Amino acid sequence: MELLERAAQAGTAPDIGALVAAVPYCAFLGVTARLVDGRIVLEMPFAQKLVGNPVLPAIHGGVIGSLLETAAIVQAVRDTRSAAIPKPVDITIDYLRTGRSVTSFATASLARQGRRVVNVHAWMWQEDEAKPIAALRGHFLLKG
């Protein structure tokens, strides 16, 4: 991805908003990114197309998983200043609460960084960050 290569060559962190906007699936979900107190927070406004269970209505688990994976990848890119998108090696998602029909947020942090692999934790919440609706733990392969 040219955006990441330019930032890596300049030795700067990539423009996270531009990175998220360049991913078609993020655009489809309406995901935006911003920095809050030095960490990246993704925001996904509710839309009817995100509903997986119309009886509740609840956000589809795949949408929740993709928002968490995106948060983890974006944080890994920023923290490692990678010139390429890290590739998932393994991911575990814990679904903790129902994703309701309101705006959702996600953020992540690197738990450990090796030369080729990073371990990332991400969590998603809606109205109260202290009450996550889902959490991700995963390993991502950096460009070697």
Side-chain angles (χ1 to χ4, degrees):
M1 179 171 259
E2 187 178 323
L3 175 75
L4 298 179
E5 291 171 2
R6 277 187 277 140
Q9 288 174 353
T12 61
D15 179 349
I16 297 303
L19 176 63
V20 170
V23 178
Y25 190 60
C26 290
F28 173 75
L29 296 178
V31 175
T32 57
R34 59 189 159 93
L35 280 175
V36 177
D37 298 328
R39 66 182 179 147
I40 299 168
V41 175
L42 301 184
E43 181 174 340
M44 181 179 69
F46 176 77
Q48 195 62 38
K49 65 185 175 189
L50 306 178
V51 172
N53 182 342
V55 175
L56 295 179
I59 295 175
H60 192 279
V63 171
I64 291 171
S66 67
L67 183 64
L68 285 168
E69 184 176 343
T70 302
I73 289 172
V74 168
Q75 191 69 51
V77 165
R78 182 172 186 267
D79 289 356
T80 64
R81 301 203 176 180
S82 175
I85 300 291
K87 296 181 180 183
V89 175
D90 65 72
I91 290 175
T92 299
I93 297 175
D94 297 322
Y95 294 93
L96 306 170
R97 294 181 172 81
T98 300
R100 294 174 292 110
S101 55
V102 297
T103 298
S104 300
F105 304 91
T107 193
S109 66
L110 268 58
R112 180 171 165 78
Q113 180 180 346
R115 287 186 310 119
R116 299 192 61 204
V117 176
V118 290
N119 178 280
V120 185
H121 296 176
W123 56 99
M124 178 178 169
W125 71 96
Q126 293 187 310
E127 293 167 338
D128 183 356
E129 188 173 354
K131 296 179 179 176
I133 65 167
L136 171 148
R137 288 172 283 123
H139 293 93
F140 294 84
L141 182 63
L142 301 172
K143 184 178 180 182

